[in-house]
Amino acid sequence: MTLKDLAEMLGLSPTTVSRALNGFPEVAETTRRRVEAAALAHGYRPNSQARRLATGRAMAIGHVIPLSRQNEMLNPIFGDFIAGASAVYATAGYDMVLITVADADQSRAYRALRAQGNVDGVIVQGPRAQDSRIALLSDLGLPFVVHGRASGVDLPYAHVDVNSARAFERATRFLIDLGHRRIALVNGLEEMDFALRRRRGFERALGERGLAPDPHLMLSGEMTEAQGHAAAHRLLARHDPPTAFLTSSLLSAMGVRRALWDLGLKMGRDVSILTHDDELGYFRNGAEEPIFTATRASVRAAGRRCAEILLAQIAEPGAPPVTELMEAVLVVGASTGPAPGARP
Amino acid sequence: MTLKDLAEMLGLSPTTVSRALNGFPEVAETTRRRVEAAALAHGYRPNSQARRLATGRAMAIGHVIPLSRQNEMLNPIFGDFIAGASAVYATAGYDMVLITVADADQSRAYRALRAQGNVDGVIVQGPRAQDSRIALLSDLGLPFVVHGRASGVDLPYAHVDVNSARAFERATRFLIDLGHRRIALVNGLEEMDFALRRRRGFERALGERGLAPDPHLMLSGEMTEAQGHAAAHRLLARHDPPTAFLTSSLLSAMGVRRALWDLGLKMGRDVSILTHDDELGYFRNGAEEPIFTATRASVRAAGRRCAEILLAQIAEPGAPPVTELMEAVLVVGASTGPAPGARP
DNA sequence: TTGAAAGCGCTAACAT
DNA sequence: ATGTTAGCGCTTTCAA
């Protein structure tokens, strides 16, 4: 059932049928109703390929996942981010295209996307401190929105980020106020922009209270359970072990927690663990109560906003890039207690 | 840079250029080389929309995620499955389209997919015991492959599944052999086909040893950490608590583990936990050592096989549906010990 | 071995 | 308010 077929059945021209179905104002109401009824009755659906070709719009958004960072797909936030974005696409009639790309091919892949025209824009995930993708995409004129930021990039570009620095600054200050002096930072890979920002916030809070950051207490690595576990073991084996852990993700927090169990240490009495809510904190940290809802909602919101901003940008290419900074919700759990030996 | 442009530059017809680039045999080798060189030099990329319209193939595969089961997106297996499938699509030049659909709209959504023609086939995720999608898709003639099976469906259809029943049968037998008599089953929602099969395997092993399954020890629910935790607490509070847990997912296993900690019970001495490797078992169960690699590989393999089978089916629509049953790898960890009081 | 012409199904400028 | 016409960029008969 094509537009032409439908038009013939109705004794109308394809143009009129197209206009009726696409809500053009000049169509007579009676005609529109007739057309709509017929379309419904015959289950007519415009062929999307044809429409795409005719309009020059792909009606699709690309989400590019670098293969090296497939961990991100495993990463719990990924699903929620996608869920948030896809809800927006669905209502706007866009498709969501997932594209996995080898690291070496990044540049080629984006150029191909541009030239082939099978997406109208892309979402950039997991930006690094100096992310070449941003310059490349600006250059190509392919609309994009970054989830996160790239500290080393000067160009203006649309992005949605969470205030990682402030979140970690507040978290660190919180631990200091509980009397902790030796606080470990189990951070993500520092080539990732968010990890850098988190460390900066951590150091800022320490500096503000006249504490020098101890490099031995600052580790970074892939944010996995295993890494958190290994890091905590290493740190707790020191002659001057930390009394508190600030971790960058739920997964590493779980690993840290497991290390404490290994050693028979009690959370909140011997050692405190604090992670923040916005990146991966699917559990009320330390407290044993999961808080899926709150965090999933915030990640989903980020996905939604990224998608909305991108669609707006596609609709109005001239507009200045929208940037949004969400404040992280710090969720402090029951096990985050005073430092051992600290006066209350 | 369009095909026409390129043809003009070369003094050839668009037809010849198209043939040269698409590997048609009748093109002179010298011409082909000239064309290829020029295409490369000018960064020519065929417009995919145009090609799709002309060929009638969408060059895209749809992965439909029912909104109600967005947990599946959070679910660690999802990312790996997608990663496996997308690798196949990438080499075959297909796009992967992620489609989220409200439950009520399932039927409408598939019909629309079919009519709009923006995918050449779909992967069906998370089949239920009687899954109406299978009949619908067969009816629509839209190629599809199911990840999993639907016990209640008689039609032949392509699928890739893991032998859940046998996996749980073997796991149960293993626990029985360790002397366990009261074994709890913390299962997924029984409307999901895989959960049904697991229960059947569990019951079969019990029956085989003359043990009657105790309905009080069989729980089912969403496979979350919270559910596992709640379930374990409820079971351990009984006057006749289980000495072993067989769980259906990593997440619920983590919840069970946490419940043991709450109660000061020791894994492998007081209580054993066993989960299987193939669905969510990202940890060597009970053992404290994560085994991401093995399981991620198996889920990825499932994604890859589903994609391969689907593409083959699209290429040769007449062929009988391919079905594949993978045997689950049971990974038994250190904490899965003999039942308390059992003679060795 | 190459080219001319038609058409995939739709939209959009230009009539009327 | 409706129709005519000409594409969108490619593939694909059919001729040469």
Side-chain angles (χ1 to χ4, degrees), chain A residues 45 48-49 53 70-71 73-74 82 86 96-98 100 116-118 258 261 282 288 296 300, chain B residues 48-49 53 70-71 73-74 82 86 95-98 100 116-118 258 261 282 288 296 300:
Chain A
R45 290 260 162 192
S48 40
Q49 319 302 346
L53 180 59
Q70 270 185 350
N71 283 333
M73 298 188 67
L74 166 74
I82 291 293
S86 74
M96 178 165 77
V97 180
L98 232 55
T100 51
Q116 289 171 185
N118 49 1
R258 184 154 62 85
W261 272 315
Y282 278 20
E288 297 293 28
R296 296 187 68 175
R300 212 167 279 190
Chain B
S48 39
Q49 319 303 345
L53 180 59
Q70 269 184 350
N71 282 333
M73 299 189 66
L74 165 75
I82 291 292
S86 74
D95 278 349
M96 178 165 77
V97 179
L98 231 56
T100 51
Q116 289 170 183
N118 49 2
R258 184 154 62 85
W261 271 314
Y282 278 21
E288 297 295 27
R296 296 187 67 176
R300 214 169 278 191

Side-chain angles (χ1 to χ4, degrees), chain B residues 77 80 276-284 290-302 329 331:
Chain B
I77 77 157
D80 282 315
H276 83 148
D277 174 29
D278 271 88
E279 185 76 5
L280 278 173
Y282 278 21
F283 290 86
R284 193 180 293 271
I291 48 156
F292 282 87
T293 327
T295 304
R296 296 187 67 176
S298 84
V299 175
R300 214 169 278 191
V329 179
V331 178

Side-chain angles (χ1 to χ4, degrees), chain A residues 3 15 18 22 44 46-47 51 54:
Chain A
L3 190 70
T15 315
S18 169
N22 289 306
Y44 167 76
N47 178 301
R51 175 184 289 193

